[in-house]
Amino acid sequence: MADDKAISRRRFAVGAAGLAALPVAAEAAKPAKPAPIPVGKPFILTTWDFGPGANAIGWPMLAEGKSSLDVVEAAINHVELLGDYWVGADGVPNEVGETTLDAMILWGPTHDIGAVGCLKRVKKAISVARKVMEETQHTLIVGDDATRFAARMGFTETSLTGPKSQAAFAKWAEKGERSDAFGPEPIARDDRLAGHDTVGSIALDAAGNLTVGCSTNGREFKIPGRVGDSPIPGAGAYGDQAVGGAVATGNGDVMMRFLPTYHAVELMRGGMHPQAAAEAAIKRIEDAGYRISGGIAVIRRDGVHGGAKTGWKDNPFSYSVQTASGNVKVPVA
Ligand code: SD4
């Protein structure tokens, strides 16, 4: 009631004389022009043991003045083609023995994102994600349709099955069990998932433009059609041209419920240090009672970085950052 009175008093007070003043008031209410984003020094951050090798691909490109978009794509392509069990072809089979890929890329200047989920029979998932971003208005394309899209974009179809994925599947299939994803949620019990190794990469180029990307073959013996956190913006990766970026790894089925990379970037936007932001994003998951293995690496556009993890007692999560001063590998405690 008191508020209503106050409003009508204000309206009344405008009166005839007040109308003349309106254009000035409207002018004053115009939002201020955003401050220009500082250029910043080039860097590339890549997760896990892939870091030094992927950064060694990306850093010379950055030093030559190439776009962070090309740099992140090249760094992740390098990992996708390594034949590691957790990224790319010949790795992590699903419940019926097929390897499928998830990937995402984000371009800071336009905040455009491209992603693929459950991509089949195409090796360079991050490059298909880039085509989704650059050639279409879509953000995420999945499954066999993602493969058909890739073929339209000129990618070659090939089997993603190899000796490692076949051997892992044969050993698991012998047990005659269904996917452990049918089990109870990892609350008050550990998730018991074996390893992880999704690659995440964040680069800032000499022009001050940020790119964030990630690629994975997901979770072992997943139910066919499963898409993890990696191609979900704010879950597997996120970035903001004015703030910085974050990439995640671990039990994506749980992690995507908390959008930890979005959370960390938003905390940094509010002024939090990257290390504190990484810890807060992981703590949110722990506070909800989940007992998973997962981690994030975070970097502010001025190059200050941090990381946090939960679980993974025997699996040392790390990330590497390369700048003009060299590469540093950071173990996440
Ligand atoms: C997923 N987050 O699909 C991925 C797996 C992973 O390191 O990170 N592996 O759930």
Side-chain angles (χ1 to χ4, degrees):
M1 198 61 187
D3 278 358
D4 285 348
K5 266 190 196 145
I7 288 165
S8 53
R9 256 200 310 274
R10 270 202 300 275
R11 274 195 196 129
F12 178 76
V14 168
L19 280 178
L22 267 181
V24 176
E27 189 65 30
K30 260 193 187 169
K33 257 195 175 171
I37 295 168
V39 168
K41 297 232 168 62
F43 60 73
I44 176 166
L45 174 155
T46 304
T47 51
W48 290 107
D49 289 345
F50 308 123
N55 289 356
I57 300 286
W59 176 255
M61 296 173 69
L62 283 174
E64 270 174 37
K66 293 235 165 78
S67 158
S68 59
L69 189 56
D70 294 333
V71 167
V72 165
E73 182 185 18
I76 292 184
N77 278 161
H78 164 76
V79 180
E80 288 174 328
L81 301 179
L82 274 180
D84 176 87
Y85 181 66
W86 298 99
V87 178
D90 192 17
V92 174
N94 67 9
E95 205 184 17
V96 295
E98 186 175 18
T99 298
T100 62
L101 310 178
D102 296 341
M104 170 172 62
I105 197 156
L106 175 150
W107 170 233
T110 54
H111 206 82
D112 200 353
I113 296 178
V116 286
C118 199
L119 173 71
K120 303 175 179 197
R121 304 183 300 282
V122 181
K123 285 188 175 176
K124 292 181 176 177
I126 194 79
S127 298
V128 183
R130 180 173 176 174
K131 288 288 184 197
V132 173
M133 182 176 87
E134 290 185 327
E135 302 294 330
T136 82
Q137 295 178 0
H138 296 322
T139 296
L140 171 61
I141 302 183
V142 301
D144 278 315
D145 288 316
T147 313
R148 278 189 275 276
F149 170 77
R152 280 172 80 180
M153 295 294 118
F155 290 82
T156 311
E157 268 192 60
T158 179
S159 170
L160 300 184
T161 299
K164 273 193 239 169
S165 62
Q166 264 174 338
F169 180 68
K171 195 169 163 209
W172 176 77
E174 243 176 37
K175 294 193 254 172
E177 291 167 5
R178 61 183 188 166
S179 171
D180 59 6
F182 283 107
E185 291 290 341
I187 295 180
R189 65 183 272 281
D190 292 343
D191 69 6
R192 295 197 206 103
L193 297 181
H196 291 288
D197 260 15
T198 292
V199 62
S201 199
I202 307 169
L204 187 89
D205 60 31
N209 292 325
L210 181 85
T211 298
V212 183
C214 63
S215 182
T216 189
N217 46 30
R219 169 176 171 168
E220 275 186 311
F221 317 122
K222 57 194 179 184
I223 298 165
R226 181 262 194 190
V227 173
D229 57 330
S230 298
I232 309 298
Y238 194 68
D240 187 292
Q241 174 80 348
V243 181
V247 285
T249 177
N251 183 332
D253 291 304
V254 169
M255 291 179 77
M256 74 163 96
R257 301 171 191 176
F258 295 88
L259 299 179
T261 56
Y262 176 77
H263 187 185
V265 169
E266 290 307 302
L267 290 174
M268 283 199 293
R269 187 198 303 282
M272 197 179 271
H273 188 280
Q275 180 59 35
E279 287 171 13
I282 290 294
K283 187 170 180 296
R284 175 74 59 82
I285 301 170
E286 290 174 334
D287 286 350
Y290 285 102
R291 284 172 38 186
I292 60 161
S293 292
I296 65 169
V298 178
I299 189 160
R300 214 163 55 192
R301 62 171 291 120
D302 64 359
V304 177
H305 48 82
K309 69 171 186 180
T310 182
W312 270 328
K313 286 177 194 69
D314 314 319
N315 199 359
F317 174 48
S318 67
Y319 63 89
S320 299
V321 181
Q322 184 147 6
T323 63
S325 344
N327 188 75
V328 50
K329 188 168 178 186
V330 184
V332 175

